[in-house]
Amino acid sequence: MRIREMAEDDIDAVATLRVRSWQYAYAGLMPQAYLDALSPDRDAGRRRALFARTRGVITNLVAEDDAGHVTGWAALGPYRPDDGPPPGGAADGELYALYLLPERVGTGTGLALMGAVLGRAERVGYARLLLWVVEGNTRARRFYARAGWTPDGARATHEVDGAAVPEVRYVHGLHRVPEQRPRGDAYSRGVPSAPQARPRLR
């Protein structure tokens, strides 16, 4: 397995992965008709525009297997403050998304991707990293707890196809270090600037 920065050529694979992951992780937590209607092609179009618009602001990482197939994806960048200020101030970052192919859950892919996310966030210099997770997604919440994340008490509710979906916020403390550019480091390019608008549910 290898973790690397996402390229434009990965967008179709990431869109397929994201749709499959939503249909797997959110069954029973979001309207089934909404999940069934998710389209990798439509998601790829939206993601292609987002990818081009947020270069240098949002970092996208992918995990790939030995055959070069994308098996996981994560995105991080500046905290988006529309739900109030983060607990550590303006220097905090946010993990916007971390998804795996359903068959890769429990294989260590998620932990490897999380390690790369935290390493990148430290090198950028974030004081903390925050994320929002669907409250009823107990599998994801157990994973984040194992990876050192803790809920900070913040809550929000988003509407998905007419249904209220509650979320809770988690925080992970980081060791702030200067941005570094060692030779061969795939994660040292670009320091995020201004946050981008939600939707938070990516």
Side-chain angles (χ1 to χ4, degrees):
M1 178 173 47
R2 183 167 76 108
I3 310 295
R4 59 172 175 80
E5 289 207 25
M6 177 179 165
E8 190 170 357
D9 288 346
D10 298 315
I11 289 174
D12 287 336
V14 167
T16 298
L17 177 154
R18 179 183 172 278
V19 166
R20 289 190 58 202
S21 180
W22 270 56
Q23 291 171 336
Y24 171 76
Y26 298 139
L29 301 175
M30 295 182 185
Q32 190 60 44
Y34 173 82
L35 295 174
D36 291 342
L38 292 175
S39 162
D41 288 341
R42 286 197 302 271
D43 190 79
R46 173 181 171 273
R47 203 146 304 284
R48 192 165 282 109
L50 182 66
F51 187 76
R53 191 172 69 247
T54 59
R55 284 183 183 273
V57 176
I58 292 177
T59 297
N60 291 274
L61 303 176
V62 294
E64 63 179 12
D65 61 18
D66 292 340
H69 300 133
V70 173
T71 59
W73 163 65
L76 69 149
Y79 181 77
R80 298 166 293 178
D82 59 323
D83 293 297
D92 284 343
E94 183 176 349
L95 175 58
Y96 306 135
L98 194 156
Y99 295 117
L100 308 177
L101 290 173
E103 59 268 25
R104 300 297 299 187
V105 172
T107 65
T109 300
L111 287 175
L113 197 51
M114 179 63 77
V117 163
L118 296 175
R120 179 59 186 261
E122 288 177 353
R123 284 192 287 274
V124 169
Y126 290 130
R128 306 174 190 219
L129 205 58
L130 296 105
L131 65 82
W132 290 89
V133 59
V134 173
E135 184 175 29
N137 191 349
T138 55
R139 183 186 297 108
R141 295 182 68 176
R142 286 196 299 267
F143 168 78
Y144 291 130
R146 288 197 302 272
W149 296 76
T150 55
D152 70 353
R155 302 173 63 86
T157 300
H158 287 262
E159 185 176 301
V160 177
D161 204 28
V165 178
E167 294 181 288
V168 293
R169 191 172 68 182
Y170 278 62
V171 62
H172 195 295
L174 299 168
H175 302 291
R176 297 190 65 183
V177 296
E179 174 78 359
Q180 300 174 9
R181 298 177 181 272
R183 183 176 301 173
D185 183 358
Y187 307 119
S188 63
R189 179 171 56 82
V191 178
S193 53
Q196 298 297 304
R198 280 175 166 79
R200 183 169 60 241
L201 291 170
R202 292 171 57 88

